[in-house]
Amino acid sequence: MAGNNARNHHWVPQCYLKGFAKSRSKNAQLHVADFEANRQFMTVPRNVAAARDFNRIDIDGVDPNHVESGVAVFESSLAKALERICHDREIRDPEDLNLIWNLIALLAVRSPGMRENIRHGHEQVMKRVLGLTLATKERYEATFADAARAGVLDADNILPYERMLDFFDRDQYSIAVSTTHHVQQELKLAYEVLPLLGRRNWLLVRALPGTGGFVTSDHPVALQWTNPPEQAFGSPGFGLRNTEVLFALSHDLALIGNFDGEDGVIDADERQVALFNAVIIGHRGRQIYARDDRFRYMMRDGVLRRGADVLRDVRRLDLGTDP
């Protein structure tokens, strides 16, 4: 709830995860396939896709729980929208769709894996800069002397060149990035992604009975090429044509957004649901979530498999998309 001091912060909301359980009750059980632990188990949504102080900020004069409290207010409205959509099996209210777009934007840019990628990128840059600074003793001493005169460093605490060079060569250190910086960047990116989602056309996909239903994950937004350019030097972007966004709304509902199709509703058969699930599984972080282990996914050769085999199949890299 807003204003509380809870320290267990979900980057994937519990109200969303409940849509993949057998009920939306407080004690709803999710089936979890954990690819790092190499095991499958049942648990409540509270125990997954969460980390201590994930949204806690450290800014002078600002409540450390300010962002988490704001997220809780958003999720309160989101929960009601998800309940309406799941009950009606369609999106009738434009504001409900807007809330879903906001959810997709947030989920697309925040996860522990993405934070580690950003931290690693910062680390690589800082190590290159330090390496250049240490190229000569003269450059090192001049650089740190300037920093001391500017008040950034205490001149008495500057290490001799030889000790710093040895420290650098041993490479037994890492560069940390504050949670506050991560949160600020994630909110900025989400605001940039949101209008791009609104420009797409959205297809609501309803899983037919007997298909096994949709799965989701701890990184549940899949962005992929539909017709990749001949020279694609990087990952697809949310503003690029020939891309589609795949997002499971619940056990039996999903969304596909692109720039070239039309808004609409379709009923998906077993093979269509299995192909969708293969993409979601391929974009996961550590875990995927489902109602049970009887969901289907498609292998590269078009063979359909059940969830009970997913850990083995991902290790063999045989799914319909790279994990």
Side-chain angles (χ1 to χ4, degrees), residues 119-139:
R119 187 210 65 79
H120 182 71
H122 280 287
E123 180 175 275
Q124 295 301 106
V125 171
M126 294 302 296
K127 286 185 175 182
R128 291 193 194 101
V129 171
L130 184 54
L132 291 172
T133 303
L134 288 164
T136 67
K137 183 175 181 178
E138 293 74 18
R139 180 183 295 175

Side-chain angles (χ1 to χ4, degrees), residues 299-317:
M299 307 287 279
R300 289 190 185 278
D301 57 8
V303 172
L304 301 192
R305 302 277 284 172
R306 289 184 179 269
D309 298 314
V310 71
L311 296 178
R312 179 182 62 189
D313 287 338
V314 167
R315 290 200 303 274
R316 290 163 48 201
L317 303 181

Side-chain angles (χ1 to χ4, degrees), residues 85 88-91 202-206 249 252-256 262-268:
I85 294 169
D88 297 339
R89 290 176 61 80
E90 60 180 313
I91 304 176
W202 291 91
L203 190 65
L204 180 65
V205 185
R206 303 184 299 198
L249 273 172
D252 53 6
L253 295 175
L255 285 170
I256 300 177
E262 297 181 356
D263 294 332
V265 180
I266 64 168
D267 294 321

Side-chain angles (χ1 to χ4, degrees), residues 20-40:
F20 297 85
K22 291 187 177 180
S23 75
R24 301 188 67 89
S25 68
K26 181 178 180 180
N27 296 317
Q29 293 282 309
L30 276 176
H31 177 80
V32 181
D34 189 311
F35 294 87
E36 288 189 13
N38 192 32
R39 69 189 187 99
Q40 302 197 49

Side-chain angles (χ1 to χ4, degrees), residues 105 185-197 238:
Q185 293 303 306
E186 289 161 359
L187 292 176
K188 179 181 177 182
L189 286 172
Y191 281 122
E192 293 175 356
V193 169
L194 182 58
L196 300 176
L197 298 176
F238 281 94

Side-chain angles (χ1 to χ4, degrees), residues 19 52 55 57 75 114 126 162 172 191 197 224 233 254-255 260 283 289 308:
R52 182 175 175 83
N55 291 319
I57 59 175
E75 290 178 4
M114 296 188 72
M126 294 302 296
E162 291 75 13
Q172 296 178 352
Y191 281 122
L197 298 176
Q224 65 176 13
F233 295 103
L255 285 170
D260 303 314
H283 284 78
Y289 313 117

